[in-house]
Amino acid sequence: MGSSHALDVALLMLRVAVGGFLLPHALGKLFGWFNGPGLAGFAGELRGFGLPAAAPLPLLLAGVQVLAGLSVLLGWQTHLAALVGAAFIAFTALLALPRGWFWMRGGVEYPVMWTLLLLSVALAGAGTFSLDSFLASPGVPS
C-alpha cells in the first residue's frame, strides 16, 4: 500500500471515528436518540453550567453539532466542520476545567481528546475518500 493511499485510508478512518462518534452524541441532544437527553435535557445541562438555555439556543447548538458530525463523517466542508466541532467541544472542556483532569470526575480529559482529534481532522483535511475530494474532481458538476 503506497504511503499516499495509506494516508487517505487513515484520514477516512479518522473521519469515520470522529464524525461517527460526534454525530450520535449530537443526535442524542437533538432528538433524545441513543438514550440521549433530548433538547429539554440538553437545556438542563446548559443551565447546570450556568449558561443560558432559553429556546432556541439548545436547538441551535445541537443542530450545529449534528451538522459538524455529519459533515466530518462524510468529508464535506471538512476543515470548517471540524473547526466548528472543535470549538464546541473546547468550550465544553473550559466548562469542565474546574473539575480537574479526569473525565470520571467530570474533568477535561475527554473533551480535550475530542478537541485535539477534531483539530487534527481540520488540519489534515478529508483525504481522497470524501465528498470534498469527489466534488473537487474534474468533470463533477458543481
Side-chain angles (χ1 to χ4, degrees):
M1 183 181 290
S3 65
S4 176
H5 186 68
L7 178 59
D8 285 324
V9 171
L11 290 172
L12 174 63
M13 291 168 54
L14 180 61
R15 277 195 0 262
V16 167
V18 172
F21 279 81
L22 183 59
L23 181 58
H25 179 81
L27 289 169
K29 289 177 181 174
L30 187 60
F31 299 118
W33 295 353
F34 313 108
N35 206 25
L39 284 175
F42 181 43
E45 290 174 8
L46 293 173
R47 280 190 295 279
F49 282 109
L51 298 172
L57 187 60
L59 175 64
L60 177 66
L61 292 175
V64 164
Q65 199 172 14
V66 166
L67 288 175
L70 183 62
S71 292
V72 168
L73 179 64
L74 297 175
W76 179 71
Q77 299 293 319
T78 308
H79 295 288
L80 177 62
L83 280 175
V84 167
F88 190 100
I89 296 179
F91 188 72
T92 303
L94 287 175
L95 293 173
L97 197 55
R99 296 181 180 145
W101 176 254
F102 293 106
W103 181 247
M104 63 199 114
R105 294 189 181 107
V108 300
E109 175 185 23
Y110 192 67
V112 166
M113 179 197 70
W114 281 105
T115 300
L116 292 172
L117 287 169
L118 281 158
L119 287 174
S120 297
V121 171
L123 287 171
T128 299
F129 306 116
S130 65
L131 281 178
D132 286 343
S133 179
F134 176 77
L135 294 173
S137 297
V140 175
S142 50

